């Protein structure tokens, strides 16, 4: 069974199996298509595992009591982890505030941030100042006149968007992942809505894979396909060379057997046709035996003569 399997493999891999050019072209096209599809799927899986989510956001509901604070839970349970430990992140607070006289009179205010783990321990702390953009009375009057009709129709309102950058280049810890955040404002700022945003700061390969997705994917897929085709051709050449060598060895062995048997038959027939007196004597242990075999006795085989000759010899 082993020799039969080896013979079948040798014949299948040999270049002399009689496969036509069309069959070879179909097989090559199917192999290339399989390589391209598998490489594309592999790149998609690698992208999903290697590039984390860019943005994580959550609404902030400020509590106006003695201090203006808010507690934000990012995960539904304490065992859930949503940030990558090998990725740097930045945290900012987006505020939509009315351009009211109260907010203008507050001036600068401080925003405190604490990132906490599942046990409530503070992992990162930051404090940043902020203030509403300044506008002179003339600018405010002109802006109000330009926007008077949309304001009267309710198509827009008087609000200002503030973005407070709280922390940059923060990394999550493997054993103490961030699960919640605590925010406090030093002054009771009037706010329409607020939102905390955690943004991944991509660099290196992740930057190219996210912001230049199509070119990076094409380069990766083309390089992977070229390498797989080269390795496939090399492996096929090695197997084909091994198959050709095995066929050559088997052909030489099979071709030498008839000549050997014919030589043996010719030798046997010549030995039969040769006279017996030309035959070579067999090896004997004593000189007397060789004499008796080579020189035949011409005396008659009479009993009395045999006894007399024996006695004379004694």
């Amino acid at each position: 069974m082993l020799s039969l399997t080896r013979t079948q493999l040798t014949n299948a891999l040999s270049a002399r199996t009689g496969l036509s050019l069309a069959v070879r072209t179909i097989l090559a096209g199917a192999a290339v298509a399989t390589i391209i599809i598998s490489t594309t799927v592999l790149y998609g899986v690698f992208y999903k595992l290697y590039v984390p989510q860019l943005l994580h956001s959550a609404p902030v509901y400020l509590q106006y009591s003695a201090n203006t604070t808010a507690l934000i839970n990012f995960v539904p349970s304490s065992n859930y982890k949503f940030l990558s430990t090998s990725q740097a992140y930045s945290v900012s607070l987006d505020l939509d505030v009315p351009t009211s006289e109260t907010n203008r009179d507050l001036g600068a205010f401080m925003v405190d941030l604490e990132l906490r783990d599942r046990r409530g321990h503070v992992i990162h702390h930051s404090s940043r100042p902020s203030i509403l953009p300044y506008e002179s009375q003339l600018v405010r009057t002109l802006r109000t006149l330009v926007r008077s009709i949309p304001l009267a129709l309710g198509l827009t309102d008087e609000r200002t968007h503030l973005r407070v950058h709280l922390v940059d280049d923060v990394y999550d810890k493997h054993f103490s992942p961030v699960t919640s955040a605590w925010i406090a404002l030093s002054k009771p700022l009037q706010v329409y809505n607020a939102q905390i945003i955690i943004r991944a700061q991509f660099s290196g390969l992740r930057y190219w894979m996210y912001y230049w997705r199509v070119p990076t994917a094409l380069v990766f897929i083309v390089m992977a396909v070229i390498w797989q085709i080269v390795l496939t051709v090399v492996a096929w050449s090695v197997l084909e060379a091994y198959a050709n060598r095995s066929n050559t060895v088997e052909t030489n062995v099979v071709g030498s057997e008839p000549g050997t048997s014919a030589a043996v038959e010719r030798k046997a027939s010549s030995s039969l046709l040769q006279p017996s007196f030309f035959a070579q004597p067999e090896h004997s242990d004593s000189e007397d035996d060789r004499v008796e075999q080579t020189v035949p006795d011409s005396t008659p085989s009479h009993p009395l003569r045999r006894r007399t000759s024996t006695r004379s010899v004694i």
Side-chain angles (χ1 to χ4, degrees), residues 36-258:
I36 293 175
I37 294 174
S38 62
T39 305
T40 305
V41 173
L42 179 63
Y43 179 79
V45 173
F46 175 71
Y47 181 90
K48 186 67 175 179
L49 296 177
Y50 185 69
V51 180
Q53 185 177 345
L54 178 64
L55 294 176
H56 299 275
S57 61
V60 177
Y61 303 103
L62 295 172
Q63 305 297 318
Y64 291 92
S65 56
N67 296 318
T68 307
T69 61
L71 181 63
I72 306 100
N73 291 318
F74 295 109
V75 296
S77 62
S78 60
N79 295 326
Y80 186 80
K81 185 175 179 299
F82 73 105
L83 296 180
S84 176
T85 56
S86 60
Q87 177 61 49
Y89 292 91
S90 64
V91 183
S92 60
L93 180 66
D94 286 0
L95 300 171
D96 286 335
V97 298
T99 56
S100 61
E101 295 296 334
T102 303
N103 286 338
R104 291 194 184 96
D105 294 339
L106 288 177
F109 59 94
M110 298 297 296
V111 180
D112 292 336
L113 170 69
E114 291 181 357
L115 298 178
R116 301 176 180 180
D117 61 0
R118 63 174 65 95
R119 292 181 294 272
H121 298 161
V122 178
I123 305 300
H124 302 283
H125 177 265
S126 177
S127 182
R128 295 290 187 271
S130 182
I131 190 173
L132 270 70
Y134 173 76
E135 287 184 351
S136 64
Q137 186 65 37
L138 179 61
V139 173
R140 290 200 299 269
T141 303
L142 293 176
R143 187 186 298 273
T144 304
L145 290 175
V146 172
R147 300 170 58 188
S148 60
I149 297 178
L151 288 173
L153 295 177
L155 300 178
T156 183
D157 52 11
E158 295 181 296
R159 67 173 61 193
T160 301
H161 179 77
L162 290 178
R163 172 165 289 184
V164 183
H165 294 280
L166 298 174
V167 62
D168 293 324
D169 295 331
V170 60
Y171 289 86
D172 197 15
K173 296 182 179 180
H174 182 72
F175 296 102
S176 297
V178 174
T179 59
S180 62
W182 179 82
I183 292 177
L185 302 181
S186 61
K187 296 179 179 181
L189 183 70
Q190 296 176 348
V191 178
Y192 282 131
N193 54 66
Q195 190 176 29
I196 186 172
I197 296 177
I198 300 178
R199 184 184 183 92
Q201 296 177 321
F202 293 140
S203 61
L205 182 59
R206 284 175 175 170
Y207 175 85
W208 290 98
M209 291 180 66
Y210 186 84
Y211 292 104
W212 301 86
R213 299 182 183 181
V214 176
T216 306
L218 291 177
V219 170
F220 179 87
I221 293 173
V222 169
M223 292 180 62
V225 168
I226 290 175
W227 274 107
Q228 291 188 41
I229 291 177
V230 169
L231 294 177
T232 303
V233 170
V234 170
W236 181 268
S237 301
V238 171
L239 292 176
E240 192 173 23
Y242 174 75
N244 292 335
R245 187 178 63 179
S246 301
N247 279 342
T248 304
V249 172
E250 292 181 359
T251 303
N252 293 335
V253 171
V254 173
S256 61
E257 290 179 355

Side-chain angles (χ1 to χ4, degrees), residues 1-14 17 239-251 253:
M1 177 64 69
L2 182 60
S3 61
L4 180 59
T5 305
R6 180 180 177 183
T7 303
Q8 291 178 353
L9 178 61
T10 301
N11 294 332
L13 296 177
S14 176
T17 53
L239 292 176
E240 192 173 23
Y242 174 75
N244 292 335
R245 187 178 63 179
S246 301
N247 279 342
T248 304
V249 172
E250 292 181 359
T251 303
V253 171

